[in-house]
Amino acid sequence: MPFTRAELEAAADNVIPDVIAPGLRVLFCGINPGLYSAATGHHFARPGNRFWPALHGAGFTPRLFTPAEQDQLPGYGLGITNIVPRASARADELTPAELSAGGAALSAKVAEYRPAWLAVLGIGAYRAAFARPKAAIGPQPDRLGASGVWILPNPSGLNASYQLPRLIEEFARLAAAARG
C-alpha cells in the first residue's frame, strides 16, 4: 500500500507493539521502525527489506511470511522488538543517548522474557546501545542475562554490503545454533 510523504511523516509518532512471548527461541531486535513500518503497524514492512525472505530462507519459518503475519511468529518460537521504539526515516537519525537508553530497556525486556537468543539486526546499533565497539557479526562472547546474543546484519535494502544470499547464510548460522 503506497503512502504519501505526509502519511509517512505523520507515522513518526506511531509505536509498533513488540511481537514477544516468554521463552522464545529467538527474539529478533531491529534498530528502530522505519516510517513505512510505523505507518503499517508491522515490523520490517518496507518493500525491499529482506528480513522476511532471510527468515524463511534460513529455515526459521516454513514459508515466506508477510509483515502482516508477524503475530504468527511466537508459534515458531520467534519474536520481534526494537532497540529504539521511535520511528524514523533512517536509523542514523537516532541519537547516541536514544541507543544507550534503548539498550538498557532491551536488557530489561530480555531479562523478563528470557529468549534463548537475542538477535540484534545491525552491528552499529548494537555497538552503540551496549558500548561494545569491537563487536562483530555472529555470536557474542557476552550474554544478556540467560540469553545468548547474536549480531546479524541489518536487513534493510539500504545495507548493500549484504545481499539476500549472504543475509540468509548469516540467519542460517543462528538458526542452526537456535536448534541446539
Side-chain angles (χ1 to χ4, degrees), residues 20-28 77-79 81 105-119 143-149:
I20 197 166
L24 296 171
R25 285 187 303 135
V26 180
L27 177 59
F28 291 94
L78 309 172
T81 189
L106 180 58
S107 293
K109 193 176 296 184
V110 168
E112 178 181 352
Y113 288 96
R114 302 174 57 87
W117 289 96
L118 170 67
R143 297 181 67 81
L144 201 55
S147 303
V149 178

Side-chain angles (χ1 to χ4, degrees), residues 79-91:
I80 305 174
T81 189
N82 287 291
I83 295 173
V84 175
R86 176 176 76 86
S88 67
R90 296 175 54 102

Side-chain angles (χ1 to χ4, degrees), residues 31 75 112 146 167:
I31 300 167
E112 178 181 352
L167 274 175

Side-chain angles (χ1 to χ4, degrees), residues 19-45:
V19 177
I20 197 166
L24 296 171
R25 285 187 303 135
V26 180
L27 177 59
F28 291 94
C29 181
I31 300 167
N32 75 311
L35 295 178
Y36 195 96
S37 289
T40 66
H42 304 297
H43 295 274
F44 304 105

Side-chain angles (χ1 to χ4, degrees), residues 68-147:
E69 297 174 297
Q70 68 186 18
D71 291 338
Q72 293 182 34
L73 291 180
Y76 296 93
L78 309 172
I80 305 174
T81 189
N82 287 291
I83 295 173
V84 175
R86 176 176 76 86
S88 67
R90 296 175 54 102
D92 62 8
E93 296 173 23
L94 302 175
T95 68
E98 283 179 294
L99 289 167
S100 180
L106 180 58
S107 293
K109 193 176 296 184
V110 168
E112 178 181 352
Y113 288 96
R114 302 174 57 87
W117 289 96
L118 170 67
V120 180
L121 299 153
I123 192 163
Y126 175 79
R127 288 173 174 166
F130 292 96
R132 298 284 188 264
K134 297 183 185 210
I137 296 293
Q140 302 304 297
D142 300 327
R143 297 181 67 81
L144 201 55
S147 303

